[in-house]
Amino acid sequence: MVEIIEINPSELERYASIPMLLEVRSIFEPHLPENGLGGIQLTEKAVEPYIKDYDEFGGPLSWRTEFDTSRWGFFLAVDNSGQALGGAAVAWNTNGVNMLEGRSDMSVLWDIRVHPDWRQRGIGRQLFARAVVWSRERGCSRMKIETQNINVPACRFYAAQGCELGDIRRFAYLDEPSVAHEIQLNWYLLF
């Protein structure tokens, strides 16, 4: 049995114990008919598998020092023994979080993770649903989620949750050499 509990920012060490690793096996490659005048089409393409560690650029333990997390929601999926199996973090109404676009009617699913041993068991859906409820309770009319074209499973997950791809930012990471090849994909769930 899995239970979703809300935790305080002071408990992020527990949250950080859940690895945020992705085995990349395919990507969504962009195609621009008429140099973009015909839109952007994303086509899945197999790649040589590699591991991406999403915590490489600062994970949950850095959030408290980078941002005022007093208005954030933090959730853990735990088993009967209290072991953390997954987590979700939702940012809301926080200065300095550019993804919020200065809006108080939008939340950002800042992070969602499930331990690799516990994936494909519905834990991500439960965490996502809790993030939606939390956002609605704060009067939000939408939730924004950032991922990348190299995270095909996340893209499929967000689409299955009813999110729509709203922004494709092909050059968002050009100034960061280790991820310059990635494309930012922003998903939106309208309530």
Side-chain angles (χ1 to χ4, degrees):
M1 174 138 179
V2 174
E3 180 183 7
I4 307 300
I5 61 170
E6 189 165 358
I7 63 170
N8 293 316
S10 63
E11 299 176 82
L12 283 176
E13 289 78 13
R14 194 169 170 203
Y15 187 110
S17 72
I18 306 160
M20 185 58 168
L21 302 172
L22 167 69
E23 183 178 15
V24 178
R25 295 177 170 268
S26 63
I27 65 168
F28 282 122
E29 185 174 71
H31 299 280
L32 286 83
E34 299 180 53
N35 286 333
L37 290 176
I40 299 176
Q41 299 172 349
L42 299 174
T43 306
E44 189 171 358
K45 172 187 162 188
V47 297
E48 185 69 31
Y50 66 94
I51 301 294
K52 175 171 181 168
D53 181 354
Y54 272 88
D55 287 335
E56 177 182 344
F57 294 101
L61 299 180
S62 69
W63 300 339
R64 289 182 303 210
T65 57
E66 291 179 46
F67 304 103
D68 174 3
T69 58
S70 62
R71 292 187 183 132
W72 289 31
F74 298 102
F75 306 97
L76 284 180
V78 297
D79 66 9
N80 291 337
S81 70
Q83 177 184 349
L85 310 175
V90 186
W92 171 71
N93 202 14
T94 306
N95 291 331
V97 176
N98 295 334
M99 284 185 63
L100 286 169
E101 303 169 20
R103 301 177 66 126
S104 61
D105 67 336
M106 180 167 68
S107 65
V108 169
L109 183 60
W110 191 260
D111 184 74
I112 188 167
R113 59 181 65 208
V114 176
H115 191 285
D117 296 341
W118 288 90
R119 292 182 181 156
Q120 302 298 315
R121 299 183 193 196
I123 294 171
R125 283 191 305 275
Q126 290 178 51
L127 288 163
F128 187 89
R130 184 62 185 99
V132 168
V133 168
W134 187 90
S135 298
R136 284 182 176 154
E137 289 172 350
R138 279 140 189 85
C140 295
S141 61
R142 67 194 74 188
M143 185 166 63
K144 182 178 180 180
I145 308 109
E146 175 187 342
T147 193
Q148 296 74 37
N149 68 316
I150 57 100
N151 197 339
V152 172
C155 292
R156 295 199 188 286
F157 173 79
Y158 296 131
Q161 304 314 303
C163 301
E164 295 180 15
L165 184 58
D167 307 321
I168 300 173
R169 297 193 57 221
R170 293 177 46 233
F171 308 115
Y173 308 119
L174 282 184
D175 294 334
E176 189 61 54
S178 65
V179 293
H181 63 286
E182 296 181 11
I183 296 170
Q184 184 183 90
L185 304 176
N186 289 316
W187 295 82
Y188 295 82
L189 181 66
L190 305 179
F191 307 144

